[in-house]
Amino acid sequence: MISPVTCFHLSETLLDVIPTNISSSKVVFVCIGTDRSTGDSLGPLVGSFLKKKGYRNVIGTINNLVHAKNLNEKLREVPLNKKVIVIDSMLGKVDSIGKFYVLDGGLKPGAGVGKELDAVGDYSITGVVNVGGFLSQQVLQYTELSLVLKMAEEMTEAIEKRFPIPEWLKTSNEMNWRITS
């Protein structure tokens, strides 16, 4: 069983799990979630923070959500030659709240609330925002926003350390993929 990591070890874990030959220009971050549930907003918040910092290879922000109903459509925007890193929130054990999991492999979005979707992504980064189990949908709804914001900032910072943006990508208007929002 893979153990969750704290924010202090997240960037190191990203380096351990995702091969170093995979740079920021070779990935697309797919940030899953919704703005209608505090606990489920982690992915879109990370996507928005990454966009604000200059990352263009992001699908899923607070203003352009990726969720169960549009997931397959949004995944069609990912070029075939890019690795997909899925970012999502999850429910877990009490002692895991505020911690992160990094996996070599995708994840099944919505599994914690009973949705049966196919696994997506080549790698995944999840944050445990609350306790899983009974009434999962309501638990997500009433998750503390301050915790989710803090975790989104920590995840963004770790991604910046592991996947720094090359200068040409910060300034270039030319894209080799169709991600615009």
Side-chain angles (χ1 to χ4, degrees):
M1 178 71 180
I2 295 174
S3 299
V5 296
T6 64
C7 65
F8 302 109
H9 297 103
L10 183 55
S11 59
E12 295 166 10
T13 304
L14 289 171
L15 280 168
D16 289 344
V17 174
I18 302 171
T20 54
N21 66 327
I22 299 176
S23 65
S24 60
S25 62
K26 295 179 181 178
V27 301
V28 174
F29 299 99
V30 177
C31 304
I32 299 173
T34 182
D35 60 349
R36 297 181 184 260
S37 172
T38 308
D40 202 23
S41 65
L42 179 65
L45 284 170
V46 171
S48 294
F49 292 166
L50 289 171
K51 283 281 195 175
K52 187 173 183 178
K53 292 187 175 284
Y55 287 80
R56 295 181 178 182
N57 51 339
V58 176
I59 299 174
T61 64
I62 288 293
N63 294 318
N64 192 358
L65 300 168
V66 175
H67 46 71
K69 292 183 181 176
N70 70 358
L71 180 61
N72 289 331
E73 172 190 335
K74 294 289 187 177
L75 288 173
R76 284 193 285 274
E77 295 177 24
V78 177
L80 295 176
N81 63 338
K82 303 293 179 187
K83 296 288 184 185
V84 173
I85 299 176
V86 178
I87 297 170
D88 201 359
S89 60
M90 68 179 285
L91 299 173
K93 296 180 180 179
V94 172
D95 59 347
S96 295
I97 295 174
K99 295 181 180 176
F100 305 92
Y101 287 91
V102 180
L103 299 174
D104 180 354
L107 59 84
K108 289 186 172 193
V113 292
K115 294 183 181 172
E116 294 189 26
L117 301 172
D118 292 335
V120 296
D122 297 295
Y123 301 94
S124 55
I125 310 168
T126 57
V128 181
V129 297
N130 214 330
V131 178
F134 188 67
L135 297 173
S136 298
Q137 200 72 17
Q138 286 82 355
V139 169
L140 273 177
Q141 187 71 33
Y142 294 106
T143 297
E144 293 180 32
L145 179 59
S146 61
L147 172 68
V148 177
L149 281 170
K150 179 178 177 273
M151 291 178 71
E153 289 168 351
E154 292 168 347
M155 196 180 286
T156 302
E157 185 177 312
I159 290 169
E160 277 186 292
K161 286 180 182 175
R162 170 56 184 89
F163 294 100
I165 305 173
E167 281 305 312
W168 66 267
L169 190 56
K170 287 182 185 177
T171 57
S172 173
N173 289 327
E174 296 300 317
M175 296 293 296
N176 59 351
W177 56 72
R178 305 175 323 190
I179 301 170
T180 59
S181 58

